[in-house]
């Protein structure tokens, strides 16, 4: 296991004014030469329902469902209708100033580039 | 209301094997995971069964399905003899070249869910919309399926 994910957990946040219950979104996490990629399934969450915060080398992903409420009675319910929350500890090599996020059809794509200093560089040997 | 059981995906189309081939890594991952992770239902046995909601009001049935990260053209919706079927395939978005995978929880592959509607719907008026990874299908009831008010004359 690498340093990035020594800790990956989503303890329920201390309740704010009103209690929101969260579930953990399914994620894929990859590392490549450039950095890390996190993909998180958050169906029903639009760009506006997304909160990403960075503190103490931890990145917190929160998504609130914003899809419209359907009139009528529910005959069958499986969708949780809750928020999504998941926390990752960042590898120190990640450059916090270059983290970018985009939302596409309920999937969050988070790109966490490594800082230039730690990327492997080819040293050209002079004659 | 009748939800048809999911069909077990065959190993051939289940993409997890290639990615988690190293058993020791997988066991390491288990020990690293907090408990909440272990109680998650395993996709290994269940395939992908997108969550569904079905609602009814006096004019419509509304079905919502969570299908994050799909392309519109990869979703198939059909209605046949009062059975609504939602199926499709989710493909992986990420180039796996030169990447190390730490977690692969998002399901990739085919899914299908069917819903038997309790009353007849006007098949030609069914609408489907896909937004923020949620598919919403509105199925208007036919006139004879709608509740009617019957005035009883009291003499």
């Amino acid at each position: 296991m690498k340093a990035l994910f020594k800790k990956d957990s989503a303890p329920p946040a201390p309740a704010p004014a009103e209690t929101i219950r969260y579930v953990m979104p399914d994620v894929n996490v990859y590392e490549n030469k450039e950095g890390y990629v996190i993909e998180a399934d958050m169906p029903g969450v639009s760009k506006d329902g997304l909160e990403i915060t960075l503190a103490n080398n931890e990145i917190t992903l929160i998504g609130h469902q914003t899809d419209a409420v359907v009139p009528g009675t529910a005959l069958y319910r499986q969708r949780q209708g809750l928020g999504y929350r998941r926390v990752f500890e960042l590898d120190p090599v990640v450059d916090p100033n270059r983290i970018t996020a985009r939302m596409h059809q309920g999937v969050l794509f988070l790109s966490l580039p490594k800082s230039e200093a730690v990327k492997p560089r080819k040293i050209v040997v002079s004659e | 209301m009748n939800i048809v059981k999911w069909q077990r995906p065959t190993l051939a189309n289940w993409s997890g094997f290639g990615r988690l081939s190293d058993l020791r890594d997988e066991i390491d991952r288990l020990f690293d995971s907090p408990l909440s992770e272990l109680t998650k239902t395993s996709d290994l046995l269940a395939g992908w069964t997108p969550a569904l909601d079905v609602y009814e009001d006096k004019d419509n049935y509304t079905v919502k399905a969570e299908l994050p990260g799909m392309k519109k053209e990869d979703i198939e919706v059909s209605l046949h003899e009062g059975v609504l079927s939602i199926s499709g395939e989710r493909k992986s978005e990420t180039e796996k070249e030169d990447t190390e995978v730490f977690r692969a929880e998002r399901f990739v592959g085919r899914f299908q869910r069917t819903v038997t509607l309790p009353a007849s719907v006007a098949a030609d008026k069914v609408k489907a919309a896909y937004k923020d990874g949620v598919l919403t299908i509105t199925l208007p009831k036919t006139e004879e399926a709608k509740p009617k008010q019957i005035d009883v004359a009291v003499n």
Side-chain angles (χ1 to χ4, degrees):
Chain A
M1 279 304 284
K2 286 274 178 59
L4 176 64
F5 303 105
K6 272 193 304 233
K7 200 168 92 186
D8 160 20
S9 57
E18 81 281 20
T19 315
I20 305 170
R21 298 201 33 229
Y22 291 106
V23 290
M24 280 172 90
D26 286 349
V27 297
N28 288 357
V29 180
Y30 311 108
E31 181 189 3
N32 57 27
K33 285 202 299 288
E34 300 301 311
Y36 294 94
V37 176
I38 299 177
E39 301 168 352
D41 275 345
M42 296 185 175
V45 176
S46 68
K47 208 174 73 190
D48 306 333
L50 203 60
E51 280 173 51
I52 301 174
T53 49
L54 202 57
N56 312 329
N57 219 24
E58 281 188 345
I59 191 160
T60 304
L61 316 178
I62 292 182
H64 298 285
Q65 294 195 358
T66 49
D67 56 329
V69 176
V70 177
T73 50
L75 303 179
Y76 181 80
R77 274 206 81 147
Q78 270 193 323
R79 297 188 54 218
Q80 314 242 19
L82 307 166
Y84 300 96
R85 182 171 188 273
R86 198 143 175 184
V87 183
F88 294 94
E89 185 177 342
L90 289 182
D91 184 331
V93 306
V94 170
D95 180 351
N97 301 314
R98 289 167 52 228
I99 296 175
T100 54
R102 69 187 174 88
M103 201 70 195
H104 176 71
Q105 288 292 15
V107 183
L108 167 66
F109 293 90
L110 201 61
S111 157
L112 306 140
K114 294 174 187 172
S115 53
E116 294 298 332
V118 300
K119 274 197 207 163
R121 272 181 313 168
K122 260 215 167 75
I123 308 287
V124 183
V125 181
S126 53
E127 289 299 316
Chain B
M1 185 78 234
N2 204 343
I3 301 289
V4 177
K5 208 162 170 275
W6 54 265
Q7 293 169 328
R8 184 180 295 276
T10 55
L11 285 180
N13 65 24
W14 187 70
S15 57
F17 264 101
R19 294 197 297 222
L20 302 177
S21 51
D22 191 334
L23 185 64
R24 210 179 71 182
D25 276 3
E26 182 58 6
I27 290 168
D28 286 349
R29 265 171 37 116
L30 283 177
F31 283 107
D32 280 323
S33 306
L35 281 177
S36 57
E37 190 83 348
L38 295 176
T39 56
K40 266 172 67 92
T41 46
S42 167
D43 284 339
L44 195 108
L45 298 175
W48 186 20
T49 316
L52 274 189
D53 282 355
V54 183
Y55 299 90
E56 176 180 22
D57 66 4
K58 70 183 192 346
D59 298 323
N60 300 301
Y61 290 107
T62 308
V63 177
K64 280 191 162 201
E66 292 190 337
L67 303 170
M70 300 279 300
K71 290 195 180 70
K72 247 201 292 231
E73 53 271 24
D74 292 338
I75 304 174
E76 297 131 40
V77 179
S78 68
L79 182 66
H80 181 65
E81 293 179 354
V83 178
L84 173 74
S85 164
I86 304 166
S87 60
E89 181 171 6
R90 183 159 84 166
K91 301 171 177 125
S92 172
E93 297 93 346
T94 309
E95 257 322 305
K96 300 288 190 299
E97 288 300 302
D98 295 327
T99 56
E100 186 172 353
V101 178
F102 289 109
R103 293 187 177 278
E105 299 166 359
R106 299 179 56 227
F107 191 81
V108 177
R110 285 202 64 82
F111 64 88
Q112 176 168 20
R113 298 230 45 191
T114 54
V115 178
T116 304
L117 297 158
S120 65
V121 294
D124 54 340
K125 297 200 184 78
V126 173
K127 287 196 180 67
Y130 183 57
K131 182 176 174 289
D132 294 337
V134 178
L135 178 71
T136 305
I137 305 169
T138 310
L139 306 114
K141 295 179 188 174
T142 53
E143 283 308 315
E144 52 270 26
K146 288 184 190 175
K148 287 187 187 56
Q149 186 79 36
I150 297 167
D151 290 326
V152 179
V154 180
N155 297 327

